[in-house]
Amino acid sequence: MLPGGDPLLAARVAVPAVPAAFVDRQRLADRLSEGLRHPLVLVNGPAGAGKTLLVARWAATARLPGPLAWLTAEQEDNAPGVFWAYLLEALRRGGAALPEDLGVPVRPDTVDHSLLTRLAAHLGGRTAPVVVVLDEFERITAPAVAQELDRLLRHAAGGLRLVLISRTEPLLPLHRYRAAGAIAEIRAAALAFTPDETAVLLRRHGLCVSEQGVRALTDRTEGWAAGLRLCALAAERAADPATYLKEFEAGDNTIADYLLAEVLEAQPAETQDLLLSAGILERIHPGLADALTGRRDAAGILEHLHRANAFVTPLGHGWYRLHPLFAEILRVNLRARRPGAEEELHRRAARWLHAHGRVADALPHATAAGDWGPAASWFVDDLAVGQLFHGLAADRWAAVLADLPPGASGPAVELVRAARHIRAGDAVRALRHLDRADRPAAGAAADRGDLRARRLTSAFLRVLAAGPAGLPEMAEEASRTAEGLERELPADRLAQCPELPALRLNALGSARLWAGRT
């Protein structure tokens, strides 16, 4: 069963052409060459990571140990006879000089194992190994084909070097190759462009971008090769290329079309629904994703997306993240496909995160849903106020609370306003909001929350505001109140917010100094 009559054969067995703007990345070419010391080389990354062009340039320019055979896999190759017929033809066209009596598969659905035994013996007898590149190997999903390929590689006695290019994990037993030190791997992290490589790519497109702009573009795309190239192509047509690269909108260019076609629309309906819903999240947990979709299948879908290199990266402990550019495009498409759904998704995310003790993650979703009452109550009830004045997340907390609307009301909301004014250095206005929060009429509404936490938050903020307001006696009284309330808290709860007593004592000391009590 020879495929010689196939009009597409020449394209499938030819090394792909490399565009003029291609950026040679010697660090990766060297890794490919060094990888040939092993029987198996795996180049694995998401769509558009630059896998094929990287290997194609290397194949055309590197000093290889022997002849090169290239085969781009197709879905039909899952029939063993078809796969081996094409691979044998690729070997012959690549100059492997196979014996005339080797034979070919005679049926599309099977291959004679004696043929593969003869092929392994021939390869094992060569003085220089044959390099076989199998591109788009994610299309090979038939276990029989993968098992036969593994058997050939193990029995070729060093006469074969197999380079697999794949978006997904191939079906070969990679764990055995790793244990034997018989595999070299180039993964997505290594394929990502560095800022220096981005700068070269932009120059190839005639674009002059500042070092800061190059780094910002690299960070936003996370070095994704296709994203960078599509940005560069679009910028070439822009009136102001530098501004375009700095401010491009993910949903309004060819990057969106690429990701939607290659990643989102290639998935089944349930996966598309999960991705569109999860686009609002910075980090995804299966339980959180289930809360958004109303189903219970997120764990399997997220694991599949990760293994398929579909821009979903595991973070450990069951959490995942989406590529930020992909998430941005998903949000744009969510608004177009499901108008009005975003607010409810944020509300569900906020409730799930708060129920699982992640108030810092819950608040941005609650505010995005317009649920300022619950957001303010969580901020107060979870004694998170100290984090607005201390720690690496202080600016993030301030940004989340910055959009508190004037119409929001209630004791917790007043405490949030007071905290914002103290952070801004306006102690007088802060004290006005603290007075409103402590009024008995407002207190009735607060009974639905944690009254002790509200009183402690109010006393804590009074200590911070009293010194700058020139009220040292208020600072002393409020500190005593706060200290008493801290003692009433369970030890484990106070241990979760050690910044509260520390910040209180620091503010009390400052108030005493301002009052001349040295």
Side-chain angles (χ1 to χ4, degrees):
M1 190 191 71
L2 282 171
D6 187 343
L8 299 179
L9 176 62
R12 291 189 58 190
V13 300
V15 178
V18 175
F22 180 80
V23 176
D24 286 298
R25 298 197 280 169
Q26 195 58 44
R27 61 183 178 89
L28 296 178
D30 290 343
R31 287 184 60 172
L32 285 168
S33 295
E34 292 166 5
L36 291 185
R37 293 181 298 176
H38 308 283
L40 178 61
V41 179
L42 174 62
V43 182
N44 179 268
K51 305 179 295 297
T52 297
L53 292 181
L54 167 69
V55 179
R57 173 55 66 91
W58 166 78
T61 59
R63 295 183 61 183
L64 302 178
L68 174 93
W70 184 291
L71 178 63
T72 300
E74 295 287 354
Q75 194 66 35
E76 63 183 316
D77 295 336
N78 284 291
V82 174
F83 173 81
W84 287 103
Y86 275 111
L87 184 55
L88 289 171
E89 187 66 17
L91 285 165
R92 290 189 175 96
R93 295 196 182 205
L98 299 181
E100 290 294 332
D101 61 351
L102 181 64
V104 294
V106 295
R107 293 174 52 190
D109 59 342
T110 187
V111 63
D112 187 348
H113 284 183
S114 66
L115 186 156
L116 301 183
T117 300
R118 293 193 299 274
L119 176 59
H122 168 73
L123 293 173
R126 292 182 56 90
T127 56
V130 176
V131 179
V132 173
V133 178
L134 295 180
D135 191 16
E136 300 192 28
F137 195 72
E138 69 273 3
R139 294 175 175 172
I140 303 299
T141 57
V145 173
Q147 290 166 6
E148 291 158 355
L149 192 61
D150 172 49
R151 189 179 300 114
L152 175 68
L153 188 57
R154 287 188 287 110
H155 290 90
L160 174 62
R161 297 291 186 270
L162 181 60
V163 181
L164 297 183
I165 307 173
S166 180
R167 294 185 188 182
T168 62
E169 294 289 290
L171 293 179
L172 276 68
L174 298 184
H175 61 285
R176 295 180 186 171
Y177 287 93
R178 293 186 185 116
I183 184 174
E185 300 179 67
I186 299 177
R187 295 276 179 171
L191 292 167
F193 270 59
T194 66
D196 288 343
E197 291 165 348
T198 299
V200 174
L201 174 65
L202 294 176
R203 287 197 296 270
R204 294 279 171 85
H205 285 269
L207 301 171
C208 183
V209 182
S210 69
E211 181 179 345
Q212 181 181 7
V214 168
R215 189 169 295 278
L217 181 62
T218 307
D219 288 345
R220 187 172 181 192
T221 59
E222 294 191 347
W224 177 46
L228 291 168
R229 178 164 167 74
L230 291 170
C231 278
L233 289 170
E236 285 181 331
R237 302 188 296 270
D240 184 349
T243 300
Y244 173 85
L245 290 173
K246 180 180 179 181
E247 300 177 355
F248 77 90
E249 296 180 4
D252 190 30
N253 53 61
T254 53
I255 296 179
D257 295 338
Y258 185 97
L259 278 172
L260 291 175
E262 293 291 327
V263 182
L264 181 64
E265 292 169 2
Q267 307 298 332
E270 293 80 4
T271 303
Q272 291 191 40
D273 177 54
L274 185 147
L275 286 170
L276 285 168
S277 300
I280 67 163
L281 304 172
E282 288 187 3
R283 299 193 300 168
I284 311 169
H285 187 276
L288 175 53
D290 285 341
L292 298 185
T293 64
R295 302 194 308 271
R296 305 181 69 87
D297 55 4
I301 290 176
L302 289 169
E303 177 60 22
H304 168 73
L305 289 169
H306 158 54
R307 294 181 65 83
N309 271 312
F311 294 89
V312 174
T313 306
L315 299 174
H317 305 290
W319 289 87
Y320 297 82
R321 66 182 284 273
L322 288 170
H323 188 292
L325 198 56
F326 187 33
E328 193 174 343
I329 290 168
L330 289 172
R331 290 193 293 273
V332 171
N333 277 268
L334 173 67
R335 294 171 196 137
R337 298 185 187 194
R338 292 155 55 184
E342 193 170 3
E343 182 177 299
E344 177 58 26
L345 290 171
H346 279 297
R347 185 170 291 113
R348 293 181 187 181
R351 291 170 179 167
W352 189 93
L353 288 163
H354 182 256
H356 288 77
R358 307 184 73 91
V359 64
D361 296 322
L363 280 182
H365 291 290
T367 58
D371 292 345
W372 280 98
S377 293
W378 295 344
F379 177 74
V380 173
D381 293 352
D382 286 73
L383 297 175
V385 63
Q387 297 179 51
L388 186 62
F389 302 95
H390 168 78
L392 298 175
D395 290 341
R396 182 188 178 200
W397 282 95
V400 169
L401 300 174
D403 296 327
L404 180 64
S409 62
V413 169
E414 295 299 335
L415 290 172
V416 169
R417 290 194 174 107
R420 287 174 50 200
H421 285 308
I422 292 171
R423 180 180 166 88
D426 191 341
V428 174
R429 292 182 69 184
L431 289 171
R432 292 177 191 155
H433 288 292
L434 288 172
D435 288 341
R436 291 173 190 161
D438 291 343
R439 287 174 187 165
D447 289 343
R448 293 193 298 269
D450 188 332
L451 183 59
R452 185 167 51 188
R454 181 173 67 82
R455 291 174 58 206
L456 175 54
T457 298
S458 177
F460 168 80
L461 291 173
R462 283 187 183 278
V463 179
L464 268 62
L471 301 170
E473 297 304 327
M474 176 184 287
E476 296 284 353
E477 181 181 354
S479 181
R480 287 192 295 271
T481 300
E483 185 176 6
L485 290 166
E486 287 168 3
R487 285 197 294 266
E488 294 179 14
L489 289 175
D492 59 339
R493 189 174 184 193
L494 186 60
Q496 293 173 4
C497 46
E499 70 279 356
L500 285 182
L503 290 168
R504 173 178 59 79
L505 291 171
N506 180 68
L508 179 61
S510 296
R512 288 175 177 174
L513 283 174
W514 288 332
R517 301 174 186 172
T518 58

